[in-house]
Amino acid sequence: MNKLVIVGTVAFDAIETPFGKTDKILGGAATYIGLSASHFNVDAALVSVVGGDFPQKHLDLLKGKNLDTSGIEVVKDGKTFFWSGKYHNNMNNRDTLATELNTLADFNPVVPKAYTNAEVVMLGNLHPLVQASVLDQMENTPKLVVLDTMNFWMDCALDDLINVIKRVDVITINDEEARQLTGEYALVTAAQKIHKMGPKYVVIKKGEHGALLFHNGQIFSAPALPLETVFDPTGAGDTFAGAFTGYLASTSDYSFNAIKNAVVYGSVLASFCVEKFGTERMETLSSDDVKSRLLKFKELTQFELV
Ligand code: AMP
């Protein structure tokens, strides 16, 4: 089985949407990425940090999904990363109410020895220097390195972020972040600028409007599944990234065609994530659910020229 290394936050989130409000619940980029990647035939390890306040039951949940958690450091006298956000009525925009780095502030990631030869590395959202340190620890050059980030790191660590972006094959980023990173409003132009920074593949996520894949002058578009209710979009981008990397690592095929399929799998898994608050839907998702929704995506996008 191919190996996948996932670095990112394992966190507490407090979320407010027009449908309700939660107290501190399980969240974090690596959590969503891992839960999503666990639907593919890969041996995935999470690299992250939590505090002594992090309940064992959350770690057990991740282990129960066959994710290797030995790379999650527990700082007994520290506090877990905390993020809080509030969504506007359209659910595509949100305000960050709080970002408390806590143990993440002095985190030195350690990739478990058994995973330093992983074929795929998913650099989830956290400090770009932590993302770079994970790459430095890989023994062999990975077949595919994917990076996700957000405006927070553009605001406070832009130079470090640009340095790590140079080292990756794929970047997944949302539309507003692509605009912020490049200063370009048109996504096609933004993608061209990001290509020049390093990544051969640029995936721009547009929330309920789907995702665009840019490569070598070509563009592929995948829709988001039109849903009656989007309860909570938190983690949709990370869930996308988890399926994207999980699928590719499970096939060992890194061609443009396989990457298009990975974008579709990313969209399929993300469509579940938003159906309930936090990680709730991803915790109960079955492989039959995934299979039947994949067929829905096929129906949604296939047509014959007449
Ligand atoms: P997404 O909705 O895909 O952007 O991801 C939301 C997740 O990212 C939440 O579970 C948060 O815990 C996590 N998160 C929010 N802000 C940050 C940040 N600055 N760095 C790392 N992870 C973050």
Side-chain angles (χ1 to χ4, degrees):
M1 215 191 297
N2 273 331
K3 288 179 187 159
L4 166 66
V5 168
I6 298 165
V7 62
T9 43
V10 170
F12 287 133
D13 288 349
I15 304 159
E16 191 175 337
T17 83
F19 295 98
K21 206 173 161 171
T22 68
D23 276 332
K24 285 188 172 181
I25 57 170
L26 172 63
T31 304
Y32 285 102
I33 295 169
L35 289 174
S36 181
S38 71
H39 285 274
F40 299 86
N41 194 23
V42 284
D43 178 0
L46 302 185
V47 177
S48 193
V49 64
V50 292
D53 56 351
F54 196 71
Q56 183 60 38
K57 68 169 185 202
H58 291 339
L59 292 172
D60 291 343
L61 167 81
L62 297 170
K63 279 187 205 153
K65 300 284 178 189
N66 288 328
L67 297 164
D68 185 297
T69 57
S70 61
I72 302 184
E73 185 190 344
V74 181
V75 180
K76 287 244 155 32
D77 54 356
K79 281 174 73 182
T80 301
F81 174 83
F82 171 67
W83 175 81
S84 161
K86 181 176 175 175
Y87 289 85
H88 299 188
N89 279 340
N90 71 11
M91 294 292 233
N92 266 342
N93 296 90
R94 74 179 175 205
D95 295 325
T96 289
L97 305 179
T99 302
E100 294 172 14
L101 295 179
N102 298 327
T103 49
L104 194 69
D106 345 273
F107 175 43
N108 286 315
V110 179
V111 179
K113 200 80 201 97
Y115 290 86
T116 53
N117 60 353
E119 201 163 301
V120 178
V121 176
M122 176 65 227
L123 302 175
N125 191 14
L126 40 54
H127 198 296
L129 288 179
V130 174
Q131 295 177 317
S133 160
V134 164
L135 283 188
D136 293 341
Q137 292 173 51
M138 300 308 293
E139 263 172 59
N140 313 328
T141 309
K143 294 257 171 66
L144 194 81
V145 178
V146 181
L147 176 141
D148 188 48
T149 189
M150 71 186 279
N151 49 0
F152 182 87
W153 302 112
M154 292 175 202
D155 293 338
C156 71
L158 184 61
D159 291 344
D160 295 328
L161 181 60
I162 289 173
N163 282 335
V164 68
I165 286 176
K166 283 185 195 142
R167 303 174 63 185
V168 312
D169 303 293
V170 185
I171 184 169
T172 65
I173 193 168
N174 79 26
D175 41 7
E176 283 315 309
E177 291 155 357
R179 290 181 175 122
Q180 177 170 345
L181 185 62
T182 60
E184 295 292 342
Y185 187 81
L187 296 179
V188 174
T189 322
Q192 284 164 356
K193 275 202 173 174
I194 298 173
H195 280 313
K196 288 202 181 113
M197 295 168 141
K200 299 187 285 288
Y201 295 93
V202 175
V203 178
I204 301 188
K205 299 165 288 178
K206 301 183 296 156
E208 64 169 328
H209 305 298
L212 294 173
L213 165 68
F214 297 86
H215 173 62
N216 229 351
Q218 301 173 81
I219 306 178
F220 173 72
S221 166
L225 189 72
L227 294 167
E228 268 175 48
T229 0
V230 171
F231 239 77
D232 170 19
T234 307
D238 306 311
T239 302
F240 179 100
F244 184 91
T245 44
Y247 169 76
L248 289 169
S250 75
T251 61
S252 262
D253 178 354
Y254 305 102
S255 62
F256 185 40
N257 203 36
I259 291 185
K260 286 182 191 172
N261 277 270
V263 170
V264 174
Y265 272 102
S267 308
V268 168
L269 272 288
S271 76
F272 289 108
C273 175
V274 303
E275 287 181 341
K276 291 199 173 159
F277 265 106
T279 55
E280 205 184 327
R281 184 67 182 97
M282 296 310 289
E283 288 177 29
T284 58
L285 188 63
S286 72
S287 56
D288 282 347
D289 295 333
V290 175
K291 272 186 213 138
S292 66
R293 191 153 293 179
L294 187 63
L295 295 178
K296 275 199 179 169
F297 263 79
K298 218 171 162 199
E299 274 169 32
L300 185 68
T301 51
Q302 256 184 354
F303 68 97
E304 282 174 32
L305 282 179
V306 285

